[in-house]
Protein backbone atom coordinates (compact mmCIF):
# COMPACT_ATOMS: atom_id res chain seq x y z
CA UNK A 1 0.00 0.00 0.00
CA UNK A 2 1.05 3.59 -0.59
CA UNK A 3 1.54 6.12 2.24
CA UNK A 4 -1.74 7.57 3.59
CA UNK A 5 -3.75 4.84 1.86
CA UNK A 6 -7.04 3.77 3.41
CA UNK A 7 -8.51 0.27 3.19
CA UNK A 8 -12.23 -0.44 3.41
CA UNK A 9 -13.22 -4.10 3.09
CA UNK A 10 -9.90 -4.95 1.38
CA UNK A 11 -10.30 -2.13 -1.19
CA UNK A 12 -7.34 0.25 -1.11
CA UNK A 13 -8.13 3.94 -1.53
CA UNK A 14 -5.09 5.88 -2.70
CA UNK A 15 -3.62 7.93 -5.55
CA UNK A 16 -2.42 4.63 -7.04
CA UNK A 17 -5.96 3.27 -7.52
CA UNK A 18 -9.04 4.41 -9.46
CA UNK A 19 -11.33 6.57 -7.31
CA UNK A 20 -13.47 4.83 -4.74
CA UNK A 21 -17.07 5.35 -5.89
CA UNK A 22 -19.81 5.67 -3.26
CA UNK A 23 -23.53 5.68 -4.05
CA UNK A 24 -25.36 7.74 -1.44
CA UNK A 25 -28.89 6.37 -0.92
CA UNK A 26 -29.84 9.04 1.61
CA UNK A 27 -33.64 9.40 1.53
CA UNK A 28 -34.11 7.79 -1.88
CA UNK A 29 -35.63 4.66 -0.36
CA UNK A 30 -38.82 6.76 -0.11
CA UNK A 31 -39.79 5.10 3.15
CA UNK A 32 -39.66 1.53 1.86
CA UNK A 33 -37.14 -1.08 2.96
CA UNK A 34 -37.88 -3.01 -0.23
CA UNK A 35 -36.92 0.03 -2.29
CA UNK A 36 -33.85 0.50 -0.09
CA UNK A 37 -32.70 -3.02 -0.98
CA UNK A 38 -33.50 -2.50 -4.65
CA UNK A 39 -31.44 0.69 -4.60
CA UNK A 40 -28.47 -1.07 -2.98
CA UNK A 41 -28.65 -3.82 -5.60
CA UNK A 42 -28.91 -1.33 -8.46
CA UNK A 43 -25.87 0.54 -7.15
CA UNK A 44 -23.87 -2.68 -6.94
CA UNK A 45 -24.88 -3.57 -10.49
CA UNK A 46 -23.71 -0.13 -11.63
CA UNK A 47 -20.23 -1.02 -10.39
CA UNK A 48 -19.83 1.18 -7.32
CA UNK A 49 -17.37 0.30 -4.57
CA UNK A 50 -19.74 1.12 -1.75
CA UNK A 51 -23.24 2.23 -0.84
CA UNK A 52 -23.90 4.70 1.94
CA UNK A 53 -26.99 5.34 4.01
CA UNK A 54 -27.67 7.79 6.85
CA UNK A 55 -28.39 6.79 10.43
CA UNK A 56 -30.57 9.09 12.51
CA UNK A 57 -34.15 9.63 13.63
CA UNK A 58 -36.05 12.93 13.59
CA UNK A 59 -35.64 13.12 17.36
CA UNK A 60 -31.86 12.62 17.27
CA UNK A 61 -31.59 15.43 14.73
CA UNK A 62 -33.87 18.15 16.09
CA UNK A 63 -37.09 18.81 18.00
CA UNK A 64 -40.64 19.10 16.71
CA UNK A 65 -41.45 22.81 16.93
CA UNK A 66 -42.68 25.30 14.36
CA UNK A 67 -40.65 28.30 15.47
CA UNK A 68 -38.88 30.21 12.72
CA UNK A 69 -35.48 28.88 13.77
CA UNK A 70 -36.64 25.39 12.83
CA UNK A 71 -38.16 26.27 9.44
CA UNK A 72 -36.17 26.04 6.20
CA UNK A 73 -36.19 29.44 4.51
CA UNK A 74 -34.90 28.66 1.01
CA UNK A 75 -33.54 26.02 -1.31
CA UNK A 76 -34.96 22.68 -2.32
CA UNK A 77 -36.84 22.18 0.98
CA UNK A 78 -38.09 25.74 1.50
CA UNK A 79 -41.05 26.05 3.87
CA UNK A 80 -40.61 22.71 5.62
CA UNK A 81 -39.69 22.26 9.24
CA UNK A 82 -36.52 20.37 10.07
CA UNK A 83 -38.51 17.75 11.98
CA UNK A 84 -40.89 17.22 9.06
CA UNK A 85 -38.01 16.86 6.59
CA UNK A 86 -36.14 14.34 8.72
CA UNK A 87 -39.34 12.41 9.41
CA UNK A 88 -39.66 11.80 5.68
CA UNK A 89 -35.99 11.22 4.96
CA UNK A 90 -34.69 9.01 7.77
CA UNK A 91 -33.72 5.37 7.49
CA UNK A 92 -35.29 3.59 10.50
CA UNK A 93 -32.86 2.03 12.94
CA UNK A 94 -34.78 -1.23 12.75
CA UNK A 95 -33.94 -1.56 9.03
CA UNK A 96 -30.20 -1.45 9.53
CA UNK A 97 -29.46 -5.04 10.48
CA UNK A 98 -31.43 -6.31 7.50
CA UNK A 99 -29.84 -3.84 5.09
CA UNK A 100 -26.30 -4.67 6.20
CA UNK A 101 -27.02 -8.38 5.93
CA UNK A 102 -28.44 -7.86 2.43
CA UNK A 103 -25.44 -5.83 1.27
CA UNK A 104 -23.12 -8.53 2.56
CA UNK A 105 -25.20 -11.19 0.78
CA UNK A 106 -24.96 -9.47 -2.62
CA UNK A 107 -21.31 -8.51 -2.16
CA UNK A 108 -21.23 -4.73 -1.85
CA UNK A 109 -19.80 -2.59 0.96
CA UNK A 110 -22.36 -0.69 3.01
CA UNK A 111 -21.59 1.99 5.56
CA UNK A 112 -23.33 5.05 6.95
CA UNK A 113 -23.24 8.59 8.29
CA UNK A 114 -24.21 8.58 11.97
CA UNK A 115 -25.61 11.78 13.42
CA UNK A 116 -25.43 11.04 17.14
CA UNK A 117 -23.84 8.59 19.55
CA UNK A 118 -26.76 6.13 19.47
CA UNK A 119 -26.35 5.87 15.70
CA UNK A 120 -22.60 5.27 16.10
CA UNK A 121 -23.25 2.46 18.58
CA UNK A 122 -25.81 0.84 16.31
CA UNK A 123 -23.46 0.90 13.33
CA UNK A 124 -20.56 -0.36 15.40
CA UNK A 125 -22.67 -3.29 16.58
CA UNK A 126 -23.23 -4.17 12.91
CA UNK A 127 -19.45 -4.09 12.29
CA UNK A 128 -19.66 -1.18 9.85
CA UNK A 129 -16.34 -0.99 7.92
CA UNK A 130 -16.14 2.82 7.93
CA UNK A 131 -17.92 5.93 9.13
CA UNK A 132 -18.88 9.00 7.09
CA UNK A 133 -19.10 12.37 8.80
CA UNK A 134 -21.54 14.65 7.01
CA UNK A 135 -20.64 18.26 6.27
CA UNK A 136 -23.18 19.57 8.75
CA UNK A 137 -21.61 17.46 11.51
CA UNK A 138 -17.99 18.48 10.90
CA UNK A 139 -18.32 21.06 13.70
CA UNK A 140 -19.66 18.47 16.19
CA UNK A 141 -16.28 17.67 17.72
CA UNK A 142 -17.64 15.47 20.55
CA UNK A 143 -19.38 13.28 17.94
CA UNK A 144 -16.22 13.11 15.83
CA UNK A 145 -14.20 11.97 18.83
CA UNK A 146 -16.82 9.35 19.67
CA UNK A 147 -16.71 8.01 16.11
CA UNK A 148 -12.91 8.10 15.99
CA UNK A 149 -12.63 5.98 19.13
CA UNK A 150 -14.23 3.08 17.24
CA UNK A 151 -10.99 2.80 15.26
CA UNK A 152 -12.61 2.57 11.82
CA UNK A 153 -11.70 4.63 8.71
CA UNK A 154 -13.40 8.03 8.66
CA UNK A 155 -14.60 9.82 5.53
CA UNK A 156 -15.25 13.45 6.38
CA UNK A 157 -17.09 16.02 4.24
CA UNK A 158 -16.06 19.66 4.45
CA UNK A 159 -19.05 21.57 3.09
CA UNK A 160 -19.36 25.06 4.67
CA UNK A 161 -16.31 24.42 6.86
CA UNK A 162 -13.48 26.93 7.20
CA UNK A 163 -9.85 25.86 7.22
CA UNK A 164 -9.81 26.21 11.02
CA UNK A 165 -12.95 24.08 11.39
CA UNK A 166 -11.49 21.34 9.17
CA UNK A 167 -8.29 21.42 11.19
CA UNK A 168 -10.24 21.17 14.45
CA UNK A 169 -12.26 18.21 13.15
CA UNK A 170 -9.11 16.38 12.06
CA UNK A 171 -7.43 17.11 15.38
CA UNK A 172 -10.49 15.79 17.25
CA UNK A 173 -10.18 12.44 15.48
CA UNK A 174 -6.39 12.30 15.78
CA UNK A 175 -6.49 13.21 19.47
CA UNK A 176 -8.00 9.80 20.24
CA UNK A 177 -5.58 7.95 17.98
CA UNK A 178 -7.46 7.78 14.69
CA UNK A 179 -5.41 9.02 11.71
CA UNK A 180 -7.25 6.92 9.14
CA UNK A 181 -9.12 9.83 7.56
CA UNK A 182 -10.09 10.96 4.06
CA UNK A 183 -11.53 14.41 3.47
CA UNK A 184 -14.24 15.14 0.92
CA UNK A 185 -14.38 18.52 -0.73
CA UNK A 186 -18.07 19.35 -0.77
CA UNK A 187 -20.38 22.22 -1.68
CA UNK A 188 -23.38 21.96 0.63
CA UNK A 189 -25.97 23.12 -1.85
CA UNK A 190 -28.65 20.81 -3.21
CA UNK A 191 -28.07 20.73 -6.11
CA UNK A 192 -24.76 22.59 -6.30
CA UNK A 193 -24.20 24.77 -9.40
CA UNK A 194 -21.35 23.44 -11.52
CA UNK A 195 -19.98 26.98 -11.74
CA UNK A 196 -19.51 26.93 -7.95
CA UNK A 197 -18.02 23.42 -7.65
CA UNK A 198 -14.62 24.98 -6.81
CA UNK A 199 -12.65 21.82 -7.60
CA UNK A 200 -9.37 23.64 -7.01
CA UNK A 201 -10.08 23.05 -3.33
CA UNK A 202 -9.06 19.41 -3.81
CA UNK A 203 -5.33 20.02 -4.33
CA UNK A 204 -5.48 22.84 -1.78
CA UNK A 205 -6.87 20.51 0.90
CA UNK A 206 -4.28 17.89 -0.03
CA UNK A 207 -1.48 20.39 0.40
CA UNK A 208 -2.86 22.05 3.52
CA UNK A 209 -3.66 18.93 5.52
CA UNK A 210 -1.33 16.32 3.93
CA UNK A 211 -4.26 13.98 3.50
CA UNK A 212 -6.23 12.16 0.83
CA UNK A 213 -9.13 14.15 -0.61
CA UNK A 214 -12.21 13.06 -2.50
CA UNK A 215 -15.32 14.83 -3.81
CA UNK A 216 -18.81 14.65 -2.41
CA UNK A 217 -20.52 15.82 -5.57
CA UNK A 218 -23.94 17.48 -5.46
CA UNK A 219 -23.81 18.88 -8.98
CA UNK A 220 -26.09 17.56 -11.68
CA UNK A 221 -24.27 15.20 -14.05
CA UNK A 222 -20.81 13.63 -13.91
CA UNK A 223 -18.48 16.34 -15.23
CA UNK A 224 -17.36 17.59 -11.81
CA UNK A 225 -16.55 14.06 -10.64
CA UNK A 226 -14.52 13.25 -13.75
CA UNK A 227 -12.61 16.53 -13.48
CA UNK A 228 -12.00 15.90 -9.78
CA UNK A 229 -10.49 12.52 -10.63
CA UNK A 230 -8.14 14.22 -13.07
CA UNK A 231 -6.74 16.46 -10.31
CA UNK A 232 -6.24 13.74 -7.73
CA UNK A 233 -9.54 12.98 -6.00
CA UNK A 234 -9.29 9.45 -4.61
CA UNK A 235 -12.98 8.98 -3.80
CA UNK A 236 -16.25 10.20 -5.32
CA UNK A 237 -19.63 10.26 -3.62
CA UNK A 238 -22.85 10.87 -5.57
CA UNK A 239 -26.48 10.61 -4.50
CA UNK A 240 -28.22 7.68 -6.15
CA UNK A 241 -31.80 6.70 -6.95
CA UNK A 242 -33.49 4.01 -8.99
CA UNK A 243 -35.71 6.54 -10.75
CA UNK A 244 -35.81 10.32 -10.29
CA UNK A 245 -39.38 10.47 -11.54
CA UNK A 246 -40.51 8.61 -8.43
CA UNK A 247 -39.71 11.73 -6.42
CA UNK A 248 -38.18 11.91 -2.96
CA UNK A 249 -36.26 14.36 -0.86
CA UNK A 250 -32.96 13.97 -2.75
CA UNK A 251 -34.10 12.63 -6.10
CA UNK A 252 -33.63 15.81 -8.15
CA UNK A 253 -29.82 15.77 -7.81
CA UNK A 254 -29.34 11.98 -7.72
CA UNK A 255 -27.96 9.75 -10.45
CA UNK A 256 -29.99 6.94 -11.96
CA UNK A 257 -28.40 3.50 -12.54
CA UNK A 258 -27.24 4.11 -16.12
CA UNK A 259 -25.75 7.45 -15.07
CA UNK A 260 -23.96 5.87 -12.11
CA UNK A 261 -22.52 3.18 -14.36
CA UNK A 262 -21.32 5.92 -16.71
CA UNK A 263 -19.70 7.69 -13.74
CA UNK A 264 -17.88 4.52 -12.67
CA UNK A 265 -16.53 4.02 -16.20
CA UNK A 266 -15.65 7.67 -16.82
CA UNK A 267 -13.72 8.09 -13.58
CA UNK A 268 -11.78 4.89 -14.24
CA UNK A 269 -10.87 6.18 -17.68
CA UNK A 270 -9.88 9.56 -16.23
CA UNK A 271 -7.65 7.81 -13.71
CA UNK A 272 -6.06 5.67 -16.42
CA UNK A 273 -5.41 8.80 -18.49
CA UNK A 274 -3.36 10.31 -15.65
CA UNK A 275 -0.60 7.72 -15.95
CA UNK A 276 2.63 7.69 -13.92
CA UNK A 277 4.50 10.83 -12.87
CA UNK A 278 7.67 10.04 -14.84
CA UNK A 279 9.37 10.86 -18.11
CA UNK A 280 9.04 7.29 -19.38
CA UNK A 281 7.23 7.39 -22.71
CA UNK A 282 3.97 5.60 -23.40
CA UNK A 283 4.37 2.28 -25.20
CA UNK A 284 1.68 3.46 -27.62
CA UNK A 285 4.26 5.87 -29.02
CA UNK A 286 6.83 3.20 -29.93
CA UNK A 287 5.52 2.53 -33.42
CA UNK A 288 5.64 6.21 -34.33
CA UNK A 289 9.33 6.76 -33.65
CA UNK A 290 9.80 6.05 -37.35
CA UNK A 291 8.33 9.50 -38.02
CA UNK A 292 11.06 11.32 -36.13
CA UNK A 293 13.81 13.00 -38.16
CA UNK A 294 17.29 11.53 -38.29
CA UNK A 295 20.40 11.81 -40.49
CA UNK A 296 20.45 10.15 -43.92
CA UNK A 297 22.74 10.38 -46.93
CA UNK A 298 20.86 11.96 -49.82
CA UNK A 299 23.64 11.46 -52.35
CA UNK A 300 26.44 8.95 -52.83
CA UNK A 301 29.60 9.72 -50.84
CA UNK A 302 33.02 8.09 -51.19
CA UNK A 303 35.52 7.34 -48.49
CA UNK A 304 37.63 10.45 -47.95
CA UNK A 305 34.96 12.88 -49.18
CA UNK A 306 33.96 15.81 -47.00
CA UNK A 307 30.37 15.40 -45.77
CA UNK A 308 28.35 18.46 -46.83
CA UNK A 309 24.85 19.84 -46.35
CA UNK A 310 24.13 18.59 -49.85
CA UNK A 311 25.09 15.00 -49.02
CA UNK A 312 23.37 14.65 -45.63
CA UNK A 313 19.91 15.87 -44.51
CA UNK A 314 17.72 15.63 -41.45
CA UNK A 315 14.71 13.67 -42.76
CA UNK A 316 12.22 11.01 -41.80
CA UNK A 317 12.40 8.10 -40.89
CA UNK A 318 14.11 8.01 -37.50
CA UNK A 319 16.43 5.05 -37.92
CA UNK A 320 19.58 7.06 -38.68
CA UNK A 321 21.85 8.95 -36.33
CA UNK A 322 19.95 11.43 -34.15
CA UNK A 323 19.42 14.83 -35.75
CA UNK A 324 21.24 16.53 -32.85
CA UNK A 325 24.56 15.29 -34.32
CA UNK A 326 24.03 17.15 -37.62
CA UNK A 327 26.59 19.87 -36.85
CA UNK A 328 29.16 17.24 -35.89
CA UNK A 329 28.70 15.38 -39.15
CA UNK A 330 28.75 18.31 -41.57
CA UNK A 331 32.30 19.17 -42.52
CA UNK A 332 33.78 15.91 -41.30
CA UNK A 333 35.60 13.44 -43.53
CA UNK A 334 33.60 10.40 -44.52
CA UNK A 335 35.44 7.31 -43.27
CA UNK A 336 33.50 4.76 -45.33
CA UNK A 337 31.48 4.91 -48.57
CA UNK A 338 27.71 5.53 -48.44
CA UNK A 339 24.86 5.39 -50.93
CA UNK A 340 21.84 7.68 -51.23
CA UNK A 341 19.27 6.48 -48.68
CA UNK A 342 21.85 4.99 -46.28
CA UNK A 343 21.57 5.84 -42.63
CA UNK A 344 24.32 8.04 -41.24
CA UNK A 345 26.16 6.21 -38.44
CA UNK A 346 28.96 7.25 -36.12
CA UNK A 347 31.30 5.00 -38.09
CA UNK A 348 30.92 7.30 -41.10
CA UNK A 349 32.65 10.24 -39.45
CA UNK A 350 34.05 9.31 -36.05
CA UNK A 351 36.10 6.19 -35.32
CA UNK A 352 35.69 6.73 -31.58
CA UNK A 353 31.90 7.21 -31.73
CA UNK A 354 29.88 10.00 -30.10
CA UNK A 355 29.63 10.84 -26.44
Amino acid sequence: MTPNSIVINAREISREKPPYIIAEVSANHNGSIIRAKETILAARNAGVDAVKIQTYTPDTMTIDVQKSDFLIEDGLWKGRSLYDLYSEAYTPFEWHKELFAYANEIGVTLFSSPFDETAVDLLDSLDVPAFKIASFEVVDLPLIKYIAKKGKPILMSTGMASSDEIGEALEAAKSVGNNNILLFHCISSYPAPLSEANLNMIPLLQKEFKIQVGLSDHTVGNLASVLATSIGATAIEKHFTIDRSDGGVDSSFSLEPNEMKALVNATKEAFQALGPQSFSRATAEDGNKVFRRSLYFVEDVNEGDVITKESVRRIRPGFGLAAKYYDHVIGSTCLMPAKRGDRVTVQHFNKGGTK
Side-chain angles (χ1 to χ4, degrees):
M1 295 189 301
T2 57
N4 299 319
S5 63
I6 293 172
V7 177
I8 299 177
N9 278 351
R11 167 62 156 91
E12 179 184 341
I13 307 174
S14 74
R15 293 290 294 268
E16 307 303 316
K17 301 292 181 181
Y20 188 78
I21 306 299
I22 304 165
E24 164 67 275
V25 174
S26 185
N28 289 327
H29 50 65
N30 291 357
S32 165
I33 191 171
I34 294 174
R35 185 184 176 94
K37 288 182 177 181
E38 291 172 345
T39 306
I40 293 170
L41 178 60
R44 187 211 67 174
N45 290 344
V48 304
D49 294 292
V51 179
K52 192 183 79 66
I53 57 176
Q54 298 181 3
T55 305
Y56 63 86
T57 69
D59 293 295
T60 63
M61 291 290 271
T62 188
I63 57 176
D64 186 11
V65 296
Q66 296 299 310
K67 292 184 177 181
S68 59
D69 283 0
F70 295 83
L71 300 179
I72 302 169
E73 295 183 352
D74 52 31
L76 189 62
W77 306 300
K78 180 179 180 180
R80 303 186 68 172
S81 73
L82 293 174
Y83 194 89
D84 175 56
L85 176 66
Y86 300 136
S87 294
E88 178 182 346
Y90 83 110
T91 302
F93 278 27
E94 56 268 26
W95 290 8
H96 280 59
K97 184 176 182 179
E98 189 172 342
L99 292 180
F100 274 85
Y102 179 70
N104 184 63
E105 177 187 329
I106 65 172
V108 68
T109 295
L110 180 66
F111 58 92
S112 184
S113 296
F115 290 80
D116 81 316
E117 288 79 357
T118 64
V120 176
D121 290 341
L122 170 63
L123 294 170
D124 192 46
S125 73
L126 296 172
D127 199 26
V128 67
F131 290 100
K132 174 74 189 299
I133 295 173
S135 289
F136 295 90
E137 270 53 53
V138 77
V139 293
D140 190 345
L141 302 186
L143 177 62
I144 291 173
K145 286 184 179 181
Y146 195 83
I147 290 170
K149 287 178 182 178
K150 302 299 182 181
K152 304 289 180 67
I154 297 173
L155 311 181
M156 184 185 298
S157 281
T158 62
M160 302 171 293
S162 67
S163 177
D164 285 346
E165 288 170 336
I166 295 169
E168 290 167 354
L170 290 172
E171 180 55 35
K174 292 176 179 180
S175 70
V176 295
N178 195 326
N179 298 302
N180 207 10
I181 307 167
L182 183 150
L183 291 179
F184 279 91
H185 169 56
C186 176
I187 301 298
S188 293
S189 176
Y190 307 92
L194 186 62
S195 60
E196 297 182 22
N198 197 12
L199 298 180
N200 280 327
M201 279 296 295
I202 292 171
L204 179 61
L205 289 168
Q206 291 168 339
K207 180 180 179 181
E208 181 74 17
F209 297 106
K210 306 296 188 293
I211 199 169
Q212 283 197 64
V213 179
L215 174 67
S216 183
D217 183 10
H218 298 140
T219 67
V220 175
N222 291 337
L223 179 59
S225 292
V226 174
L227 291 173
T229 302
S230 73
I231 57 174
T234 58
I236 302 291
E237 180 185 59
K238 288 283 281 189
H239 283 246
F240 179 71
T241 184
I242 295 174
D243 188 341
R244 278 191 296 273
S245 67
D246 289 343
V249 172
D250 298 333
S251 61
S252 65
F253 56 93
S254 298
L255 298 183
E256 293 182 341
N258 62 322
E259 295 165 330
M260 182 61 79
K261 186 174 182 179
L263 173 70
V264 170
N265 292 335
T267 52
K268 282 182 179 178
E269 290 175 348
F271 172 78
Q272 290 167 354
L274 291 175
Q277 287 187 327
S278 74
F279 284 103
S280 60
R281 303 306 306 177
T283 55
E285 293 182 334
D286 290 345
N288 285 328
K289 288 183 178 179
V290 64
F291 299 115
R292 281 185 157 187
R293 290 179 182 267
S294 67
L295 302 184
Y296 272 81
F297 289 99
V298 294
E299 62 181 22
D300 295 349
V301 176
N302 296 314
E303 182 179 346
D305 288 349
V306 174
I307 300 175
T308 67
K309 293 181 179 179
E310 288 71 31
S311 57
V312 167
R313 289 177 53 197
R314 304 184 308 275
I315 60 172
R316 298 181 184 187
F319 300 120
L321 193 66
K324 66 182 180 180
Y325 295 113
Y326 179 73
D327 289 338
H328 294 279
V329 173
I330 302 303
S332 66
T333 300
C334 191
L335 302 180
M336 53 190 291
K339 295 290 186 181
R340 175 180 166 85
D342 284 350
R343 304 170 186 176
V344 175
T345 69
V346 292
Q347 287 76 24
H348 283 102
F349 71 98
N350 187 339
K351 288 182 179 179
T354 58
K355 294 182 179 180

